[in-house]
Amino acid sequence: MFRFHLKENNTTVKTELLAGFTTFMTMVYIVVVNPIILSSAGVPFDQVFLATIIATVIGTLWMALMANYPIAIAPGMGLNAYFAFSVVGTNTNITYEVAFAAVFVAGVIFTILSLTSFRKKLIEAIPDNLKHGITAGIGLFIAFIGMRMTGIIVAHPDNLVALGDLHSPSVILAFTGLAVTLILMALNVNGALFIGMIVTGAIAYFTGQLEFNGVVALPSLPEGIIISNPIAAFGDVIEYGLFAVVFSFLLVTIFDTTGTMIGVAQQAGLMKGKTMPRARQALLADSIAATAGAMVGTSPTSAYIESSSGVAAGGRTGLTTVTVSVLFIAAAFFGPLVSAVSGVSAITAPALIIVGSLMMSSISHIKWGEIDEAFPAFLIILSMPLTSSIATGIALGFISYPILKIVKGKWRDVHFLVYLFAVLFAYQLVFLPH
């Protein structure tokens, strides 16, 4: 396994395979959720199901083979809802084919930017305390998702959130899985997160919460290739005036992916100071996947925060993401089975909650004694789970950071790119959908 440099990264084939299984299990829900969301915009469910897998495999394999990172790529949550409900849903004259043209154009521009040093410079320009805030914020967001999706936390009309029904089967199963996984981790069992999900899945099956209505089905693309003419795609964007849509896709994807990559890479100990090695190859993964995904029928891709569960299980190289890719290819032929497992959120939620706690450790590196460094990081950590948006959290951090630096007379310490994106983020939050 020389290509993946397993020894240099202090890992083994077994560890990498288990980490890949773990990452796959925590993010496989996307092959069901994404088709459900995009089908509300009129896109055939089967089309999106296979398109989701195609985009995921392309992006994740690129990440594995070209960048050697344990970071998986897949259609981003939030971006799919924006596509379905804002771009298509509120514009009767815009069909999903036209909307995919906007995704394709954004992907092409994204790829061009990734080929330059722009995104690499962006990563290096982000202040350390914002990076730590991003990591901790993503961790809190992951844990919140895990608790919310199982019913441990529920909506409340006055307090927004409240404790759920502790007697519900989903909550009991989630707490059981959480206890089993924590015990395994406390005993230093390798692959504890994945083993915990297997045990939780078995309990779900024997308690009647997990049922299978078929196992195998042939995948298909009913609409074929949706975007086959790049010139026509650019023409559609111009004709329908979708410039703001393209800009929104670009802005959110850049920072969702960049923020997530930084967070996961830091958690894995793969950052070299302020530099992310092989950054260009890593950043190309999601831009190429987004372009290819738009051609077959899915919304923009992003680096997945669930990759951190695989990192927590020991994943350090591209062998983890090769495993993820192979499992997604296999999933294409097991639609009914994958749908059943991913439909029981309590099976994967414990891993998300535990990973969230692990990622929160980065707050210890924040300079809490300096308000101009601490508050922007705090704002990121607070706003990510409360707004259910990684991009919004990053935006608020980027906007507040230079403002406080200017007030403190330290404006020269702020990189030009931070000022630029503070302005762009302010514009997006005020004038564009988010």
Side-chain angles (χ1 to χ4, degrees), residues 131-145:
K131 291 178 183 177
H132 297 314
I134 289 169
T135 304
I138 291 174
L140 201 57
F141 185 36
I142 289 175
F144 180 72
I145 290 174

Side-chain angles (χ1 to χ4, degrees), residues 22-297:
T22 302
T23 297
F24 172 77
M25 288 295 291
T26 56
M27 66 179 288
V28 69
Y29 67 86
I30 194 63
V31 301
V32 176
V33 175
N34 202 45
I36 289 174
I37 293 176
L38 294 190
S39 62
S40 66
V43 193
F45 186 97
D46 290 344
Q47 179 84 20
V48 186
F49 174 76
L50 188 54
T52 300
I53 292 174
I54 291 172
T56 300
V57 171
I58 289 174
T60 303
L61 273 181
W62 184 284
M63 183 70 74
L65 302 178
M66 304 302 292
N68 196 28
Y69 280 120
I71 303 172
I73 302 292
M77 290 295 294
L79 289 169
N80 49 13
Y82 174 57
F83 177 99
F85 305 120
S86 296
V87 180
V88 179
T90 59
N91 297 283
T92 55
N93 63 323
I94 296 179
T95 63
Y96 67 80
E97 291 92 347
V98 173
F100 280 130
V103 177
F104 177 82
V105 171
V108 171
I109 297 174
F110 204 16
T111 302
I112 294 172
L113 289 177
S114 297
L115 286 170
T116 68
S117 60
F118 173 77
R119 290 184 68 184
K120 181 176 181 291
K121 287 181 178 178
L122 177 61
I123 290 179
E124 296 174 354
I126 298 175
D128 287 340
N129 284 280
L130 291 189
K131 291 178 183 177
H132 297 314
I134 289 169
T135 304
I138 291 174
L140 201 57
F141 185 36
I142 289 175
F144 180 72
I145 290 174
M147 299 183 79
R148 186 182 62 187
M149 66 196 295
T150 56
I152 296 175
I153 290 176
V154 296
H156 189 280
D158 299 319
N159 298 324
L160 297 182
V161 294
L163 183 65
D165 180 9
L166 298 182
H167 298 285
S168 73
S170 177
V171 172
I172 293 173
L173 180 63
F175 275 127
T176 301
L178 187 61
V180 169
T181 308
L182 285 172
I183 290 171
L184 292 171
M185 292 187 71
L187 295 174
N188 295 318
V189 175
N190 290 328
L193 289 172
F194 176 66
I195 296 172
M197 282 186 280
I198 295 296
V199 173
T200 308
I203 294 172
Y205 178 76
F206 288 113
T207 57
Q209 297 182 59
L210 178 60
E211 298 180 356
F212 302 103
N213 297 314
V215 175
V216 180
L218 287 175
S220 65
L221 286 173
E223 301 293 312
I225 304 298
I226 294 177
I227 304 297
S228 57
N229 188 334
I231 296 176
F234 277 87
D236 285 340
V237 169
I238 296 172
E239 180 182 350
Y240 290 92
L242 298 179
F243 304 107
V245 172
V246 172
F247 180 70
S248 294
F249 279 141
L250 266 176
L251 206 58
V252 174
T253 306
I254 283 176
F255 282 95
D256 262 358
T257 296
T258 304
T260 301
M261 282 186 183
I262 289 172
V264 176
Q266 280 191 327
Q267 183 198 0
L270 300 174
M271 294 289 287
K272 303 297 182 183
K274 292 186 177 182
T275 303
M276 183 177 179
R278 305 175 303 281
R280 181 174 297 179
Q281 296 91 326
L283 296 168
L284 271 171
D286 67 307
S287 54
I288 291 173
T291 306
M295 295 177 66
V296 290

